[in-house]
Amino acid sequence: AQSVTQLDSQVPVFEEAPVELRCNYSSSVSVYLFWYVQYPNQGLQLLLKYLSGSTLVKGINGFEAEFNKSQTSFHLRKPSVHISDTAEYFCAAGQGGSEKLVFGKGTKLTVNP
Amino acid sequence: SQTIHQWPATLVQPVGSPLSLECTVEGTSNPNLYWYRQAAGRGLQLLFYSVGIGQISSEVPQNLSASRPQDRQFILSSKKLLLSDSGFYLCAWRGISGNTGELFFGEGSRLTVL
């Protein structure tokens, strides 16, 4: 069964610094990958997704992620963060033939002034 | 456009009381529907999902149940709440486009069991 690991539970950074949030998945067979963002007391909002094709995926709010099949990773990056990026970020994976998405435990990004 | 609504947004219930959380989706037909629970530090746990009316798959044995009485309505219930049922409950829908579609989430329902 597919599993998703987010290696960092909390990531503090200063405003305008770059950030990388790490995500690893277990199986590359027909895998689809997603990053979601959750602001306090709200639902999850899709940032970006990888289905196939180009391994570099660009999303909303200046975020991007790179699919790396050999390392089974899908890390999220932003070159310069803002205070408003403070939120919890979830990586998720789906597989062809499965109705379910499996989520990581989330990474809390805190952007400090 | 598609929308998803969850209610109530917050709920405080005593141990042993019943629960009913409702979720409806508009603007799409025959969606897959999901209930997740989010507990602090534990990420999102899939509780139930449904691929059609009356079809419910349970992911973890627990004190909760789900029902799908209509195509775009998904209900999460309990007859007797436990303290451990406290959490943030999220409903989501997904199109059936080859299982590659993303989930679209509601705004969540925060349940506190006292």
Side-chain angles (χ1 to χ4, degrees):
Chain A
Q2 181 71 257
S3 66
V4 174
T5 302
Q6 291 184 244
L7 297 167
D8 306 298
S9 60
Q10 297 190 44
V11 173
V13 295
F14 288 109
E15 194 174 16
E16 298 183 3
V19 70
E20 178 180 82
L21 305 183
R22 296 181 292 171
C23 173
N24 287 88
Y25 58 93
S26 60
S27 172
S28 294
V29 177
S30 299
V31 69
Y32 310 107
L33 298 160
F34 308 86
W35 273 101
Y36 285 86
V37 60
Q38 184 183 33
Y39 300 102
N41 294 310
Q42 294 186 24
L44 278 69
Q45 178 184 358
L46 183 71
L47 277 177
L48 50 79
K49 62 183 177 182
Y50 170 80
L51 302 181
S52 64
S54 173
T55 57
L56 184 62
V57 180
K58 293 189 182 297
I60 63 171
N61 301 340
F63 285 94
E64 63 181 32
E66 186 160 16
F67 172 65
N68 188 318
K69 187 173 182 178
S70 63
Q71 297 186 9
T72 60
S73 68
F74 190 56
H75 300 333
L76 182 70
R77 301 185 183 101
K78 186 170 183 178
S80 176
V81 294
H82 303 290
I83 298 288
S84 58
D85 292 323
T86 295
E88 190 159 19
Y89 292 80
F90 290 91
C91 182
Q95 279 184 295
S98 172
E99 305 293 343
K100 300 177 283 188
L101 290 189
V102 176
F103 284 81
K105 292 190 175 183
T107 298
K108 288 187 178 179
L109 174 66
T110 302
V111 181
N112 297 301
Chain B
S1 63
Q2 301 90 356
T3 57
I4 179 169
H5 303 283
Q6 262 186 263
W7 70 95
T10 58
L11 197 59
V12 180
Q13 292 286 97
V15 170
S17 64
L19 170 73
S20 180
L21 300 180
E22 295 195 30
C23 173
T24 59
V25 179
E26 297 176 359
T28 187
S29 296
N30 196 27
N32 286 359
L33 296 172
Y34 303 80
W35 278 111
Y36 283 86
R37 177 168 60 200
Q38 188 176 15
R42 297 183 61 185
L44 275 76
Q45 180 186 31
L46 178 62
L47 302 176
F48 301 95
Y49 70 94
S50 171
V51 299
I53 296 174
Q55 300 180 59
I56 308 295
S57 295
S58 175
E59 287 298 295
V60 287
Q62 59 204 320
N63 186 42
L64 302 169
S65 62
S67 62
R68 185 170 178 173
Q70 300 180 44
D71 181 44
R72 291 170 289 175
Q73 184 184 25
F74 206 24
I75 298 171
L76 184 69
S77 303
S78 174
K79 292 182 179 179
K80 289 186 177 182
L81 285 168
L82 305 172
L83 287 174
S84 57
D85 292 323
S86 292
F88 193 51
Y89 289 82
L90 290 159
C91 181
W93 73 272
R94 188 184 196 193
I96 56 171
S97 54
N99 292 330
T100 61
E102 64 267 34
L103 290 176
F104 297 92
F105 285 86
E107 289 299 305
S109 299
R110 185 163 300 283
L111 171 66
T112 303
V113 182
L114 301 175

